[in-house]
Amino acid sequence: MAVSVQSDVARKMDPGPIVTSTGAALGAEVHGVNLKKCDETQFSALRRAWHDHQVLLVRGQTLDDQDLIAFSRRFGDLDWAPVQETGRRFVEGLPEIYIVSNVTINGQPIGSLGAGEAVWHTDMSYLDVPPMASMLYAIEVPLAGGNTSFCSMYAVYDALPDELKRRIANLKIKHDGTYNSGGYLRQGVTATDDPRSSTGAVHPLVCTHPDTGRRMLYLGRRRNAYLVGLELAESEALLDELWNFIERPQFAWEHVWRVGDLVLWDNRCTMHRRDPFEASSRRIMHRTQIKGSAAPV
Ligand code: OGA
Ligand code: MN
């Protein structure tokens, strides 16, 4: 067996980040990195691991909003967060920060999504150029519930029957901008349940990842989704058929949060959902979103 003594020595001198796959269809945990002091070599290793695994977990971090923004910016420019369901910005002076929380102060929620389920979705895919990545950092977590699952849209696409792949090859899908994943109406938008007329962005249903070159199914979210040009009933039936694949555990990895966890996901080739949790417990997460480089193709 070939063993490289030299590389073992090099590893002892500078172990660099250690990347351990979750063993599921996607996701890896990274050990041995402080995101406030990550050098260029460590950062390149992180970026590579992120492309390989689509979702990265880094535990035991202590980040304030400025630290979270500074680390996020190393991947690219940031998108401003959507405004809160109440119409307010989450953090005065830091429009990049999105807060996911059920906590209220003087009866006003400090964040979005409440304590209910957040259904499978891609972040902000109702934009023409959706964010390429999101980063979520855990500040307070409940004792139970509120787990977040991720699924690989590469793996979902690969698993589709060939006949279905052929049927969807040239279709375009509207990603609705009316409701968020908690089912709340977005600020400034008129409520509607007609996917043909709802606001949103149209993207190809099958896309190619700009960095990895891999194909993926690009669904966004189920509510008010619409396959452009089809009769509504035909669109609904085909979307249901595709969404039937999403719930299969073989495509997913579920994360149980601890305070200090940072999770970075590729928002192009994954979707995520969150379990509900006890409304009387507190959960506070801060998020940034990194701008996409181009519209999905
Ligand atoms: C998000 C999101 C779910 C969660 O931050 O984009 O969907 O686990 N969060 O809070
Ligand atoms: Mn989300």
Side-chain angles (χ1 to χ4, degrees):
M1 203 201 322
V3 175
S4 161
V5 173
Q6 222 176 351
S7 71
D8 281 356
V9 170
R11 278 180 64 80
K12 277 195 191 103
M13 279 159 45
D14 176 19
I18 313 245
V19 179
T20 313
S21 165
T22 61
L26 75 173
E29 182 170 354
V30 180
H31 295 272
V33 62
N34 176 345
L35 298 179
K36 284 193 285 204
K37 298 184 187 153
C38 175
D39 64 24
E40 269 312 309
T41 314
Q42 290 181 319
F43 185 72
S44 307
L46 278 181
R47 189 200 285 277
R48 232 177 5 255
W50 179 57
H51 281 144
D52 289 346
H53 298 281
Q54 303 144 62
V55 182
L56 292 186
L57 162 65
V58 193
R59 295 205 123 128
Q61 303 299 304
T62 47
L63 308 175
D64 62 21
D65 284 336
Q66 302 287 0
D67 298 327
L68 180 60
I69 289 173
F71 178 67
S72 304
R73 281 231 172 98
R74 298 183 68 172
F75 286 85
D77 290 338
L78 305 189
D79 270 316
W80 284 18
V83 286
Q84 217 169 330
E85 291 131 3
T86 56
R88 287 196 310 268
R89 285 247 161 245
F90 295 100
V91 180
E92 208 49 60
L94 294 178
E96 301 92 341
I97 297 287
Y98 180 75
I99 301 182
V100 179
S101 186
N102 66 319
V103 171
T104 58
I105 294 180
N106 298 328
Q108 299 293 323
I110 65 165
S112 279
L113 304 183
E117 177 184 0
V119 297
W120 284 113
H121 68 282
T122 300
D123 290 332
M124 296 161 70
S125 59
Y126 52 83
L127 299 178
D128 288 332
V129 181
M132 69 166 174
S134 299
M135 247 185 240
L136 191 61
Y137 176 66
I139 296 170
E140 287 189 52
V141 300
L143 284 175
N147 299 347
T148 307
S149 293
F150 297 88
C151 75
S152 166
M153 300 306 283
Y154 294 143
V156 170
Y157 179 76
D158 289 345
L160 297 178
D162 286 342
E163 177 271 333
L164 190 50
K165 281 186 184 149
R166 271 194 296 276
R167 267 161 63 207
I168 65 173
N170 295 311
L171 292 177
K172 290 190 186 297
I173 181 171
K174 188 201 286 181
H175 291 232
D176 177 60
T178 313
Y179 301 100
N180 69 21
S181 57
Y184 299 91
L185 187 67
R186 289 184 196 280
Q187 171 60 19
V189 175
T190 310
T192 176
D193 285 304
D194 186 339
R196 292 164 300 189
S197 58
S198 72
T199 179
V202 172
H203 299 297
L205 181 54
V206 179
C207 295
T208 303
H209 194 289
D211 299 319
T212 66
R214 296 181 66 186
R215 282 193 169 208
M216 60 222 178
L217 191 62
Y218 194 50
L219 290 179
R221 62 193 70 229
R222 179 64 186 90
R223 190 167 182 187
N224 277 357
Y226 175 57
L227 295 170
V228 177
L230 301 196
E231 291 296 324
L232 185 55
E234 211 185 339
S235 165
E236 291 289 313
L238 185 45
L239 286 171
D240 285 344
E241 198 175 336
L242 292 170
W243 275 90
N244 269 334
F245 284 84
I246 303 300
E247 299 284 348
R248 297 188 187 172
Q250 79 216 56
F251 303 130
W253 168 63
E254 180 176 5
H255 177 51
V256 182
W257 293 93
R258 288 185 213 149
V259 170
D261 285 356
L262 179 114
V263 173
L264 161 65
W265 62 88
D266 191 319
N267 192 49
R268 298 161 292 192
C269 56
T270 69
M271 293 201 296
H272 54 281
R273 66 169 294 281
R274 181 195 72 192
D275 290 339
F277 56 97
E278 198 59 59
S280 58
S281 57
R282 291 166 60 93
R283 189 175 186 272
I284 305 178
M285 325 283 276
H286 283 199
R287 190 189 83 187
T288 54
Q289 41 290 312
I290 300 148
K291 270 188 198 298
S293 48
V297 285

